[in-house]
Amino acid sequence: METKSENVCFGGMQGVYSHASAATGRDMTFGLFLPEEARDGPVPVLWYLSGLTCTHENAMTKAGAQAWAAEFGIALVFPDTSPRGEGVADDDSFDMGQGASFYVNATQDPWAKHFRMWDYVTEDLPELLFEEFALDPERQAITGHSMGGHGALTIGMGLGSSRFRSISAFSPMCRTMDSDWGTRQLGLYLGEDQDAWTPHDASHVMREKGFDGPVLVDTGTADQFWDKLKPGALAAAMTDRKQPGAFRLQPGYDHSYFFVSSFIEDHMRFHAEELYR
């Protein structure tokens, strides 16, 4: 692991690090905020997965999460959204390829060689973090924005409460199996058999499995990508499942980090209640 930068932040440390990933076969970069309490022992962890076109840096610099993480004594992990660099497959569109992994393990060429982001987020990076830093593996939660909200929901429900105590999402992709943000990408990454797509459709997983813990979802009513996100599908699945938690529509808010930063305190407090329960 290589330290790229470390900056004191709200009494804790905001670091950026890189490491060789066995899952992706590439060097990967991530951000990690450690609150002051990490100097004395392991602290709980909140994973933040970012959306299309983002890197580890977007949420780290725009969400304003560190102030609340410091107040609640929670570490924040900001992974990258895909493998990158020379030799990594890419696409001319912004919603496919580098910066647009959809947090799946690709099975189709040319993506399968490096695009194994499910394994990276759930196995590879956690193994490194819990070995190198004062983090408590028994107290984890997960959140994300847009494509990262889709990843937080599918990974959170997929691994269940044995890994995560709570799940939240900002403007998540809710129904990837019949959306412009999903059908092309899942087809190219995973092949034509749609049975392979179902673990990566948040509404389907919610309806079939749900989560043994609370879920919080916020979406703005002025979100410019409403038709692609399909929030109604997830709201209906949560209702039919009787999923503990809340699906909230925030009047006038769009898809931007102005929206995320407006409600980050709510999400941090939501996770803190579960991580310290």
Side-chain angles (χ1 to χ4, degrees):
M1 189 180 69
E2 178 183 351
T3 300
K4 296 291 189 180
S5 64
E6 289 185 329
N7 299 93
V8 174
C9 181
F10 294 103
M13 182 66 69
Q14 177 61 65
V16 176
Y17 310 93
S18 66
H19 70 114
S21 165
T24 67
R26 305 295 296 182
D27 285 350
M28 300 290 291
T29 300
F30 65 93
L32 173 65
F33 172 75
L34 290 173
E36 188 174 7
E37 289 84 348
R39 300 170 187 169
D40 299 320
V43 295
V45 185
L46 177 61
W47 293 80
Y48 187 109
L49 306 185
S50 288
L52 290 172
T53 76
C54 293
T55 69
H56 69 281
E57 191 174 21
N58 291 71
M60 188 180 80
T61 59
K62 295 179 180 180
Q66 290 91 338
W68 302 107
E71 178 170 333
F72 299 133
I74 296 172
L76 295 168
V77 183
F78 304 101
D80 202 348
T81 56
S82 78
R84 299 178 187 274
E86 186 176 352
V88 176
D90 203 5
D91 190 88
D92 291 337
S93 61
F94 75 94
D95 54 5
M96 183 73 196
Q98 295 187 35
S101 71
F102 281 70
Y103 299 99
V104 303
N105 285 341
T107 59
Q108 306 299 303
D109 291 333
W111 313 102
K113 183 176 181 181
H114 299 297
F115 279 72
R116 301 191 62 80
M117 286 298 291
W118 180 287
D119 283 354
Y120 177 70
V121 170
T122 65
E123 298 178 10
D124 197 8
L125 185 54
E127 182 178 349
L128 174 74
L129 289 175
F130 293 119
E131 180 178 333
E132 296 290 339
F133 299 98
L135 305 175
D136 185 354
E138 299 301 319
R139 291 185 291 166
Q140 298 185 64
I142 191 166
T143 188
H145 173 234
S146 193
M147 179 186 74
H150 137 84
L153 288 163
T154 56
I155 290 172
M157 290 186 286
L159 273 61
S161 59
S162 61
R163 173 72 67 93
F164 300 109
R165 295 194 181 185
S166 49
I167 303 170
S168 76
F170 300 88
S171 305
M173 297 176 183
C174 298
R175 176 68 182 170
T176 49
M177 292 185 67
D178 56 11
S179 168
D180 290 345
W181 279 351
T183 52
R184 173 176 180 259
Q185 296 84 355
L186 295 181
L188 290 172
Y189 286 139
L190 302 175
E192 296 181 0
D193 181 2
Q194 293 196 6
D195 287 343
W197 301 9
T198 56
H200 305 289
D201 183 293
S203 297
H204 177 86
V205 181
M206 175 61 71
R207 196 173 293 278
E208 294 297 315
K209 184 175 182 179
F211 181 67
D212 187 19
V215 176
L216 173 63
V217 179
D218 276 314
T219 297
T221 60
D223 194 303
Q224 57 269 46
F225 303 114
W226 181 279
D227 291 343
K228 291 181 171 64
L229 300 173
K230 298 185 178 294
L234 181 61
M238 290 179 68
T239 300
D240 292 346
R241 182 84 194 174
K242 298 181 181 178
Q243 172 64 49
F247 189 107
R248 309 189 305 188
L249 295 179
Q250 302 296 354
Y253 284 91
D254 60 15
H255 198 72
S256 70
Y257 266 93
F258 295 110
F259 162 64
V260 173
S261 62
S262 297
F263 295 98
I264 194 67
E265 178 188 357
D266 286 2
H267 285 243
M268 294 297 303
R269 193 175 299 278
F270 164 76
H271 290 296
E273 289 177 358
E274 298 304 317
L275 291 169
Y276 281 100
R277 187 178 297 279

